[in-house]
Amino acid sequence: MNLKKRLDIFDRLAAAIPEPTTELHYTSTFELLIAVVLSAQATDKGVNKATAKLFPVANTPGDILAMGETGLKEYIKTIGLFNSKATHIITLCRQLLDKHAGEVPQTREELEALAGVGRKTANVILNTAFGRHTIAVDTHIFRVANRTGIAPGKNVLEVERKLDKWVPKQHKKDAHHLLILHGRYTCIARKPRCESCVIEDLCEYEHKTGHHDDDTAKGATSRFIE
């Protein structure tokens, strides 16, 4: 796939999705961080249901730390892996208070040093909260990048590096959410909705009828990265 075709793809996605943003609900950078940590191997819808009850009660590092691990679990127990996530979040809150005056840091190194925060979560925060041109590769983006031919790769880090290299500069900031939303609602895993896809004629997917059961993400290493 050449640069001209990639530009056309992102131009069309940007026109079709005029306000690309996360579907997680939050009102502060800290709330976003907690929501993203909770979203690993969970749906945004499920996370939003839990945080709708949690955040009105506790939405600062101090509030959640005071709640304790047991108290926090009561609010997030409907989310997958809630036990380990509660442990991570309590530690994360303590780290923010001890090392960052309760504020979410703005560098990758500092973010990745927080409990429960890996490369993907750091990329989401850097992009969504701080406007950096980072692309967090989740299963949707991994699938879309491989299936369309935009940035094929054997693992998420390879796909991330190719996207960083090949996404047109003017679309770098929004590429993350454009690809996630396209993968979530159109280029879905089992039967992509090619008939309603705005980039169908540009896409290099070999089975555009939608009859082929293709989930490219099955081949990903580290399928879910924190």
Side-chain angles (χ1 to χ4, degrees):
M1 182 177 287
N2 59 38
L3 293 176
K4 173 64 167 61
K5 186 181 281 190
R6 287 192 182 92
L7 176 59
D8 289 345
I9 284 174
F10 279 99
D11 281 347
R12 289 192 196 176
L13 290 177
I17 309 171
E19 295 182 7
T21 189
T22 181
E23 294 187 304
L24 291 169
H25 297 164
Y26 69 98
T27 61
S28 69
T29 303
F30 175 73
E31 286 187 0
L32 175 64
L33 176 59
I34 298 303
V36 176
V37 170
L38 290 173
S39 72
Q41 301 188 47
T43 65
D44 287 0
K45 185 176 180 180
V47 172
N48 288 336
K49 282 185 176 180
T51 57
K53 296 178 181 178
L54 171 64
F55 289 157
V57 176
N59 69 342
T60 68
D63 288 343
I64 290 181
L65 194 58
M67 179 179 283
E69 196 170 317
T70 302
L72 176 60
K73 285 179 183 179
E74 284 301 307
Y75 288 91
I76 66 171
K77 61 186 178 183
T78 56
I79 298 174
L81 306 177
F82 74 93
N83 282 311
S84 61
K85 288 176 182 178
T87 301
H88 286 150
I89 288 171
I90 291 297
T91 302
L92 178 155
C93 289
R94 188 175 293 112
Q95 290 173 310
L96 289 180
L97 290 168
D98 290 347
K99 300 179 180 179
H100 304 286
E103 298 296 321
V104 177
Q106 298 189 30
T107 69
R108 177 186 301 283
E109 294 73 21
E110 289 174 315
L111 285 166
E112 290 188 18
L114 298 173
V117 177
R119 185 176 183 85
K120 191 186 97 171
T121 296
N123 277 340
V124 172
I125 299 303
L126 290 170
N127 177 257
T128 306
F130 302 125
R132 310 287 171 77
H133 293 183
T134 56
I135 301 174
V137 179
D138 69 349
T139 50
H140 296 301
I141 292 182
F142 187 86
R143 179 177 66 253
V144 171
N146 275 283
R147 183 185 272 164
T148 62
I150 293 173
K154 295 178 181 179
N155 56 62
V156 290
L157 189 57
E158 185 179 349
V159 168
E160 181 188 329
R161 286 171 175 165
K162 287 184 176 181
L163 286 170
D164 187 56
K165 180 179 180 181
W166 291 336
V167 170
K169 186 177 180 180
Q170 61 267 46
H171 293 295
K172 272 279 184 71
K173 182 176 180 293
D174 290 330
H176 170 72
H177 291 113
L178 289 173
L179 293 174
I180 282 180
L181 294 170
H182 183 65
R184 185 171 288 166
Y185 296 109
T186 301
C187 196
I188 57 179
R190 294 197 172 276
K191 193 174 181 182
R193 295 167 178 147
C194 301
E195 69 283 352
S196 61
C197 177
V198 297
I199 60 169
E200 189 272 338
D201 58 314
L202 300 172
C203 171
E204 296 181 358
Y205 180 44
E206 294 178 359
H207 305 278
K208 291 183 184 176
T209 61
H211 295 305
H212 181 71
D213 182 5
D214 173 67
D215 185 355
T216 312
K218 288 177 182 176
T221 58
S222 301
R223 183 170 183 182
F224 292 95
I225 295 185
E226 288 176 345

